[in-house]
Amino acid sequence: MAVPMLTTADLDAQLKQLAGWSIQDGKLHKQFKFKDFIAAFGFMASMALVSESGGHHPEWFNVYNKVTVDLTTHDAGGITLKDINWAKAANALVP
């Protein structure tokens, strides 16, 4: 069953609760910065488990201590609660 895309109003309300996240090119976007590569890679490994268990995988990019994440639910054609939930889990991992 497809997950519905969030309305603009719902997305705006959710963004107020997601520190550091914004909308860029129609995707939920954030760049995380860590103390070093090991910490960045550890974050990615932890979120890979979240991604797999939720059946929802990010577009992400890592260079040394930075991880850039873009989220969208391709099946829905935009941002859904799956993306919001992934972003909340990511924020919970980073103090």
Side-chain angles (χ1 to χ4, degrees):
M1 181 158 123
V3 178
M5 210 168 87
L6 293 174
T7 66
T8 302
D10 289 339
L11 185 53
D12 288 343
Q14 291 289 341
L15 274 174
K16 290 177 184 172
Q17 301 173 39
L18 287 173
W21 290 87
S22 63
I23 304 299
Q24 286 189 10
D25 299 323
K27 298 175 184 178
L28 198 53
H29 173 86
K30 183 172 181 177
Q31 184 176 80
F32 293 89
K33 188 173 181 182
F34 300 91
K35 68 177 183 160
D36 56 25
F37 175 74
I38 297 296
F41 195 84
F43 166 78
M44 291 179 78
S46 295
M47 288 309 298
L49 297 173
V50 170
S51 298
E52 197 61 24
S53 69
H56 191 58
H57 304 88
E59 296 175 19
W60 55 8
F61 183 73
N62 166 244
V63 175
Y64 182 57
N65 67 334
K66 294 179 185 141
V67 177
T68 304
V69 179
D70 288 300
L71 299 170
T72 188
T73 304
H74 297 284
D75 294 350
I79 299 168
T80 69
L81 280 178
K82 282 186 165 189
D83 304 300
I84 299 298
N85 291 337
W86 196 101
K88 287 178 180 178
N91 277 5
L93 273 179
V94 181

